[in-house]
Amino acid sequence: QVQLVESGGGLVQAGGSLRLSCAASGRTFRRYAMGWFRQAPGKERDFVAAISWNGDNTYYADSVKGRFTISRDNAKNTVYLQMNSLKPEDTAVYYCARDAEVGGYYPRSYDYWGQGTQVTVSS
């Protein structure tokens, strides 16, 4: 069973920064593309960013381009989301997820999800 555990969330003032981490179990982590999603109260879960299995390709939602950076360290079985210039509208529960297909570049579906970590941005 694949397990994903997010950490690094918290309360931050507008304009501040946070770095989220997603630690994955299993030796096959390095072969899978990964993604970050977020869900605000009363809203649907939205795509935030994704990274290919080898880290060579990254994708971002328009709302976070230029502010967020996704990265991965396959040696540590960890994917990161660096969030800068945070805005109150970034407030949400953030989830990491694994691409359903091995060796992927752009994920189209996901099969494992973390428990989520809360990010709250105050004004």
Side-chain angles (χ1 to χ4, degrees):
Q1 181 75 20
V2 174
Q3 291 185 326
L4 305 173
V5 181
E6 301 97 333
S7 62
L11 176 64
V12 65
Q13 292 184 337
S17 299
L18 286 172
R19 189 175 80 157
L20 306 183
S21 298
C22 175
S25 65
R27 61 185 180 182
T28 63
F29 168 82
R30 64 188 304 135
R31 301 177 63 188
Y32 287 87
M34 299 289 294
W36 283 98
F37 293 76
R38 66 187 182 186
Q39 187 169 23
K43 304 294 184 180
E44 295 184 347
R45 183 174 296 183
D46 291 329
F47 169 78
V48 175
I51 187 167
S52 62
W53 72 274
N54 59 3
D56 289 346
N57 303 89
T58 57
Y59 311 90
Y60 298 94
D62 288 341
S63 59
V64 305
K65 285 181 179 178
R67 300 189 298 119
F68 291 11
T69 303
I70 188 171
S71 62
R72 68 189 299 158
D73 186 340
N74 285 347
K76 297 181 178 179
N77 275 17
T78 303
V79 62
Y80 304 95
L81 185 68
Q82 178 67 47
M83 305 185 294
N84 298 327
S85 301
L86 283 163
K87 305 174 181 179
E89 48 263 48
D90 294 319
T91 296
V93 177
Y94 284 71
Y95 302 87
C96 68
R98 192 191 78 169
D99 185 13
E101 295 190 8
V102 67
Y105 288 89
Y106 179 77
R108 297 181 180 182
S109 61
Y110 299 83
D111 57 0
Y112 290 95
W113 296 78
Q115 85 289 348
T117 185
Q118 176 70 48
V119 172
T120 303
V121 184
S122 65
S123 59

